[in-house]
Amino acid sequence: MTYKWLKWTRVTVALVFFLLTTLVFLDFKEVVGEKGVNNILFLQFVPSLLKFFAVFSLSAAGFIIILVLTALFGRVYCSAICPLGILQDFISRAGKLFRKKRKRRYKYLKPRNILRYTILAATVILGIFASVFVVNLLDPYSLFGKVATGLFRPVGIWINNGLASILESMNVYVLYLRDISMFHLAAFIFPVIILVVLLYMSGRYGRLYCNTICPVGTLLGWLSKYSLFRIELDKDQCIKCGKCAFSCKSGCISI
């Protein structure tokens, strides 16, 4: 009962954060406003961190809350707040539909610690010297923003314009056409590449990006090792059935 309650709580929170964050990038009608955007992005780790050091204001200290939550409960940000992490869960769940029922879904992946911490160190060092290139390239929020802006937003505008044209033919003017003349193929290709890579990695290996490449995931993963209420396996109760390892999207359980 406790497991189901925790699971559905996480799923609900994740959906809320995912929809709100997606709204920021799809808001071609500009109904959210600057204040709404700031509120929605408050708990996004890298945007909050960069803004905090830019303005030195507690109103941008959401990343501190994330660190506290991680120290208490583990990688809450990765599992329920990060939009790219949640998108990978969607892809992983969809990938399950194409797997054979008896085929092992996931398996233990040996941590690539040298790669992980090298990427994290490079990101921190370049960030200190005011270079955000690597941050923008690897930050999960930034990557999700590129996919949402380059793919989801144009699709949303096309759907809006199509519905608006249909309604106008019936003399209904609830919707109106939006300009999409700024669309460029080059801006479309990069998000497609990102999404294809995520489809492959998430569909086959679950949270491989989060555990191997993402600097935020590496930092919070290291901190979660010492979290107060972290999840642990009871070795005395374990019967070595392997269900936990096969279900772990992060591939972090070895049996």
Side-chain angles (χ1 to χ4, degrees):
M1 184 67 181
T2 301
Y3 169 76
K4 290 184 177 180
W5 182 84
L6 289 174
K7 177 182 177 180
W8 285 109
T9 299
R10 186 195 72 84
V11 170
T12 302
V13 172
L15 284 174
V16 170
F17 274 103
F18 183 81
L19 292 175
L20 289 177
T21 308
T22 303
L23 179 62
V24 171
F25 296 104
L26 299 188
D27 186 27
F28 52 84
K29 292 187 177 182
E30 299 179 353
V31 299
V32 177
E34 182 178 354
K35 183 177 181 180
V37 170
N38 290 334
N39 290 335
I40 292 173
L41 301 185
F42 178 72
L43 288 178
Q44 294 302 327
F45 191 86
V46 171
S48 172
L49 179 66
L50 295 177
K51 185 176 180 180
F52 177 80
F53 285 104
V55 301
F56 292 101
S57 172
L58 289 178
S59 62
F63 76 98
I64 297 177
I65 296 177
I66 296 300
L67 292 175
V68 172
L69 287 174
T70 304
L72 290 175
F73 306 108
R75 293 169 64 173
V76 175
Y77 175 79
C78 300
S79 63
I81 300 176
C82 173
L84 193 71
I86 301 168
L87 177 61
Q88 290 177 86
D89 282 349
F90 289 152
I91 296 172
S92 179
R93 177 64 64 176
K96 182 181 178 181
L97 301 177
F98 300 96
R99 295 176 182 272
K100 295 180 180 179
K101 291 184 178 180
R102 295 183 180 181
K103 186 177 180 180
R104 289 171 53 168
R105 187 176 176 192
Y106 301 111
K107 62 181 180 179
Y108 173 71
L109 298 174
K110 186 177 179 180
R112 297 171 175 84
N113 290 329
I114 295 178
L115 175 61
R116 295 169 60 207
Y117 290 114
T118 298
I119 293 175
L120 175 60
T123 304
V124 173
I125 293 172
L126 291 174
I128 292 175
F129 289 97
S131 174
V132 295
F133 173 76
V134 175
V135 175
N136 288 331
L137 188 63
L138 298 178
D139 167 40
Y141 172 79
S142 179
L143 286 178
F144 178 80
K146 290 178 175 63
V147 173
T149 304
L151 293 179
F152 301 162
R153 183 183 175 95
V155 170
I157 294 177
W158 286 332
I159 294 175
N160 174 83
N161 290 350
L163 292 175
S165 298
I166 295 174
L167 292 174
E168 284 182 10
S169 66
M170 297 183 292
N171 295 321
V172 177
Y173 301 96
V174 177
L175 301 176
Y176 53 92
L177 297 176
R178 295 287 175 173
D179 182 24
I180 200 171
S181 60
M182 298 300 292
F183 174 78
H184 297 288
L185 181 61
F188 181 77
I189 293 176
F190 186 59
V192 168
I193 294 174
I194 295 174
L195 187 59
V196 169
V197 172
L198 286 177
L199 285 170
Y200 174 76
M201 294 177 69
S202 303
R204 186 166 183 176
Y205 301 106
R207 290 290 193 103
L208 180 62
Y209 173 82
C210 302
N211 292 339
T212 306
I213 302 174
C214 178
V216 177
T218 298
L219 174 63
L220 299 183
W222 172 80
L223 181 59
S224 68
K225 292 181 180 180
Y226 310 99
S227 59
L228 185 61
F229 301 105
R230 63 184 180 275
I231 297 176
E232 294 182 326
L233 297 178
D234 189 339
K235 295 181 179 180
D236 294 332
Q237 298 293 327
C238 179
I239 60 173
K240 305 293 183 180
C241 65
K243 290 183 178 180
C244 57
F246 301 158
S247 300
C248 179
K249 295 186 292 293
S250 298
C252 61
I253 300 178
S254 177
I255 57 172

